[in-house]
Structure formats: C-alpha cells, structure tokens
Amino acid sequence: MSRAAELRALADRVEKEPASRGLDEAIAFGVGWRPKNAESKGSFEEHEAKHDYPTSWIAHAPYRSAWAIPAYTSSVDAALALVPVGRPWSVAGPIIHRPPAREREPYFHASVDRPYPYQPSPAPLADGGYAATAPLALCAACLRALASEAERSEE
C-alpha cells in the first residue's frame, strides 16, 4: 500500500472512531512524528539509525506514554500541527443538515485547501473531513491533504 493510500485509510478511520489515545498514536505513526523529550528522542534516533522508523516505533512501544504524543483527536490546537505549511484551512459545525450518507447526529466539516496552481478539473480544490468533533474532522482533512501531497511526490 502506498503512503497516500495509508494516509487516506487513516483519515477514513478517524472519521468513524471516537477520539482516543490509540487513534492519536496511529496518527503520530502515520505522519512520522518523533518524540521530543531529550532522553526518548536520543534513544529513538539511535534505534532508527540502526534500523528504520517503523522498527523504532515498535521497539519503543513501552515508552510511548512518556513521549507526550499530541492529542490530535481531542484538541484543535494539536490537530492544527497536522496542517501542511502554508495551506489555508477551515472548520465548520456542528452541522445539523445531513448529506445523504451521514448519520443522524450533528457533525463537523473541515477542509484544507490545495496549493495553487490547483489541479485540473474535476479534482477538488480542497481535501475535506467529516466527523463527530472539530478535532477529528480537522485530522481527517489534514491526513487527506498529506495524502494528496504524497501522491504528487510519487508522480
């Protein structure tokens, strides 16, 4: 599976699941987040130099609680760290009217605009996300934006 496909699958998961630390960890892994505190950072970097990022992530699983992984799924501030640099974004909601495929509960919509020059039609001008909360919707939109960037770099 390509990086873009993995990010899109993670965005789909974010839209369906409630906020959780497990989902925060999945997002952190998906975007290549690394620990920031000095002790964990050094150990992680040493292990990554010997092996690779996924192996380092798995080997350091017992220490993840000390890493202070951002609460992407429950904090708009943390979710904003996922917005690609220089890309306009928006969040709207709670929205009460429902697109045909949505559940009965109110939902939030987020979008991250595509960079100029826009891709030719019929490509959308933004990557979007729909979810039960603003942080989840923003995470989904950002993951789709990152997937779009990955697709462009794979071409």
Side-chain angles (χ1 to χ4, degrees):
M1 184 181 289
S2 71
R3 174 166 163 70
E6 289 173 358
L7 289 168
R8 288 191 193 287
L10 184 54
D12 292 344
R13 180 179 165 197
V14 165
E15 288 181 326
K16 294 173 185 158
E17 294 183 18
S20 69
R21 292 305 288 158
L23 196 50
D24 291 334
E25 284 188 14
I27 293 168
F29 178 78
V31 300
W33 182 90
R34 288 164 170 76
K36 307 281 190 260
N37 66 31
E39 186 177 325
S40 296
K41 181 180 178 186
S43 174
F44 190 89
E45 288 173 349
E46 284 177 30
H47 201 275
E48 188 176 14
K50 291 179 191 172
H51 303 285
D52 58 14
Y53 179 81
T55 303
S56 298
W57 187 268
I58 292 165
H60 286 79
Y63 310 106
R64 283 192 214 142
S65 61
W67 286 358
I69 292 172
Y72 296 118
T73 60
S74 59
S75 165
V76 171
D77 290 335
L80 284 172
L82 299 173
V83 176
V85 175
R87 301 273 293 274
W89 59 274
S90 65
V91 176
I95 300 169
I96 305 302
H97 72 83
R98 289 145 196 80
R102 298 284 165 217
E103 301 84 43
R104 291 265 171 220
E105 297 89 31
Y107 63 93
F108 289 79
H109 175 259
S111 65
V112 177
D113 291 353
R114 297 253 172 110
Y116 184 82
Y118 297 119
Q119 296 175 345
S121 292
L125 300 180
D127 296 290
Y130 294 90
T133 66
L136 287 167
L138 186 55
C139 285
C142 289
L143 290 167
R144 288 194 177 100
L146 292 169
S148 295
E149 287 185 356
E151 285 172 344
R152 282 193 296 277
S153 68
E154 291 170 1
E155 293 174 350

